[in-house]
Amino acid sequence: MSDKLFFGNKSGDDILKIVSGFHSFPAPGVILGTVMVDYALLMLPAESEKDVIVETTHCLPDAVQLFTPCTYGNGWLKVVDWDRFALTIYDKHTLEGFRVWLDLEKLKNFKDIYNWYMRLVPKKSLPLEVLNPAILEAGAAICSGKKVKVTGLYGKKEKKNIEVCPQCGEPYVSTSGQVCPPCSGSGYFEYK
Amino acid sequence: MSDKLFFGNKSGDDILKIVSGFHSFPAPGVILGTVMVDYALLMLPAESEKDVIVETTHCLPDAVQLFTPCTYGNGWLKVVDWDRFALTIYDKHTLEGFRVWLDLEKLKNFKDIYNWYMRLVPKKSLPLEVLNPAILEAGAAICSGKKVKVTGLYGKKEKKNIEVCPQCGEPYVSTSGQVCPPCSGSGYFEYK
């Protein structure tokens, strides 16, 4: 496997543009994510139907949504909130997959990226114009990967029974209580 | 406000194409989501910086990601898992916003959409070619909306301290324990 992946015939500039168009700016975490997605995909059969699990809510989900068919809303991407830069892409039928993670030992050889990831320097001293090319140049050389069998979190998220909240009249999932979450006091808004 | 929104000069066909390109198929839930996003945006000042909270993991997050700058990975979109078709778009500085929800009372006048949403008929009897035009035709006539003040879930998700897991050597957030979640037995994979 080459350390330089770059999504087939896409250039680094192409990737920066695609990422900016969706994520609103070329966040280094998404750029790093594109490398990780590409690495995992190269290690799996092209023809299999794939789902993805991502281990942080920050940045990495957007790389998956941009460079695979798996999105948060179609349910083929699942996210666990471990603040860990790692992902697993796997065959949704056999559950055989490949996990890729940012490898700190390898990253130590790439000082700028290491300092950014470990938050050892202020953001301002590492502009995106330095950091992003460094990540694209490093490619998969800063990651490790291993075959896995997925043992949890797989499968379709079941839709539950919909009932009408007796208090507000909106539909809600009845397993969450006698009234809906906002009516039971766990909402995030107040009407004006 | 007109009941037909259609995102400025985008046609229904444009919307179906954009949704299919990201979500992999023109899911009625995403089509309905585009109407809801558009309704909320029309009720808010164009120039404000906006964040979004979505009340279901199904479909609706993708409409937000496609038709606003807010994505799951950039943190401007947050999701609560209430299985409720509703969203709030709000000014991230003042927390003043507008909540839009699917209104069951109004929906009763749109039989196909009502039967789909309440899961009263088998999927096969309501093909996308019938359901999606019905949703686009109904537009905001099946939704209600109200001004809100956001009281929770706003703000940037803080990044916590990164430590190195003494067992596997991967970086992880130290508040989650002495070792990382997979090493403590709450993982989703086994290495092969």
Side-chain angles (χ1 to χ4, degrees), chain A residues 55 57 59 62 65 71 73 81 83 88 96 99 119 149 151 157 160 170 173 188 190-192, chain B residues 55 57 59 62 65 71 73 81 83 88 96 99 119 149 151 157 160 170 173 188 190-192:
Chain A
E55 300 180 21
T57 61
C59 288
D62 282 2
Q65 296 189 108
T71 71
D81 187 7
D83 236 333
T88 296
E96 307 284 337
R99 181 174 180 263
R119 296 178 210 131
K149 175 95 178 183
T151 55
K157 213 186 135 194
K160 295 169 199 126
E170 284 191 59
V173 173
Y188 63 85
E190 280 167 7
Y191 285 124
K192 298 191 72 176
Chain B
E55 301 180 19
T57 62
C59 288
D62 282 2
Q65 296 189 108
T71 71
D81 187 8
D83 235 334
T88 296
E96 306 285 337
R99 180 172 181 265
R119 294 176 211 131
K149 175 95 179 184
T151 56
K157 214 186 136 193
K160 297 171 197 123
E170 283 190 60
V173 174
Y188 64 84
E190 281 167 6
Y191 284 124
K192 298 191 73 176

Side-chain angles (χ1 to χ4, degrees), chain A residues 42-104:
Chain A
L42 279 176
M43 303 305 286
L44 294 166
E47 68 280 3
S48 62
E49 274 194 284
K50 298 173 186 81
D51 276 359
V52 183
I53 298 167
V54 162
E55 300 180 21
T56 176
T57 61
H58 295 286
C59 288
L60 198 46
D62 282 2
V64 173
Q65 296 189 108
L66 281 171
F67 295 104
T68 78
C70 305
T71 71
Y72 194 81
N74 70 19
W76 305 341
L77 162 68
K78 294 208 179 72
V79 181
V80 289
D81 187 7
W82 295 345
D83 236 333
R84 162 171 283 196
F85 235 74
L87 57 81
T88 296
I89 306 185
Y90 65 99
D91 181 309
K92 66 176 85 187
H93 303 294
T94 65
L95 307 182
E96 307 284 337
F98 196 80
R99 181 174 180 263
V100 175
W101 64 94
L102 185 67
D103 189 319
L104 278 194

Side-chain angles (χ1 to χ4, degrees), chain A residues 10 13-23 66-67:
Chain A
K10 282 191 195 70
D13 275 351
D14 290 340
I15 291 175
L16 293 175
K17 264 180 220 154
I18 293 169
V19 169
S20 298
F22 184 66
H23 191 84
L66 281 171
F67 295 104

Side-chain angles (χ1 to χ4, degrees), chain A residues 112-128:
Chain A
D112 281 342
I113 314 176
Y114 185 83
N115 287 341
W116 159 73
Y117 186 75
M118 298 301 283
R119 296 178 210 131
L120 301 177
V121 293
K123 271 191 176 180
K124 276 183 187 167
S125 70
L126 265 178
L128 297 183

Side-chain angles (χ1 to χ4, degrees), chain B residues 7-21:
Chain B
F7 294 89
N9 53 8
K10 282 190 193 72
S11 69
D13 275 352
D14 289 340
I15 291 175
L16 293 173
K17 265 181 217 152
I18 293 169
V19 169
S20 299

Side-chain angles (χ1 to χ4, degrees), chain B residues 10-192:
Chain B
K10 282 190 193 72
S11 69
D13 275 352
D14 289 340
I15 291 175
L16 293 173
K17 265 181 217 152
I18 293 169
V19 169
S20 299
F22 184 65
H23 190 84
S24 289
F25 63 103
V30 189
I31 304 303
L32 176 55
T34 66
V35 171
M36 297 170 71
V37 168
D38 204 24
Y39 179 6
L41 287 178
L42 279 176
M43 302 305 286
L44 294 166
E47 67 281 2
S48 62
E49 275 193 281
K50 298 174 185 80
D51 276 359
V52 184
I53 298 168
V54 161
E55 301 180 19
T56 176
T57 62
H58 296 286
C59 288
L60 198 46
D62 282 2
V64 173
Q65 296 189 108
L66 281 171
F67 295 104
T68 78
C70 305
T71 71
Y72 194 82
N74 70 18
W76 304 341
L77 161 67
K78 295 207 177 75
V79 181
V80 289
D81 187 8
W82 295 345
D83 235 334
R84 162 172 284 196
F85 235 74
L87 57 82
T88 296
I89 306 186
Y90 65 100
D91 182 308
K92 67 176 84 188
H93 303 294
T94 66
L95 307 183
E96 306 285 337
F98 196 80
R99 180 172 181 265
V100 174
W101 64 94
L102 186 66
D103 189 320
L104 278 195
E105 279 308 308
K106 295 182 180 177
L107 196 58
K108 282 177 183 161
N109 301 317
F110 299 82
K111 205 177 158 194
D112 281 343
I113 315 176
Y114 185 83
N115 287 340
W116 159 73
Y117 186 74
M118 297 302 284
R119 294 176 211 131
L120 300 178
V121 291
K123 271 191 178 181
K124 275 184 190 166
S125 70
L126 265 178
L128 297 183
E129 295 71 28
V130 173
L131 197 50
N132 282 334
I135 292 170
L136 288 167
E137 176 66 21
I142 52 179
C143 302
S144 286
K146 215 166 175 181
K147 281 188 183 176
V148 292
K149 175 95 179 184
V150 171
T151 56
L153 289 178
Y154 56 84
K156 213 172 164 176
K157 214 186 136 193
E158 225 172 294
K159 288 185 185 168
K160 297 171 197 123
N161 275 340
I162 289 182
E163 305 230 1
V164 177
C165 173
Q167 205 156 317
C168 68
E170 283 190 60
Y172 81 113
V173 174
S174 51
T175 49
S176 60
Q178 295 296 309
V179 294
C180 73
C183 285
S184 73
S186 52
Y188 64 84
F189 59 86
E190 281 167 6
Y191 284 124
K192 298 191 73 176

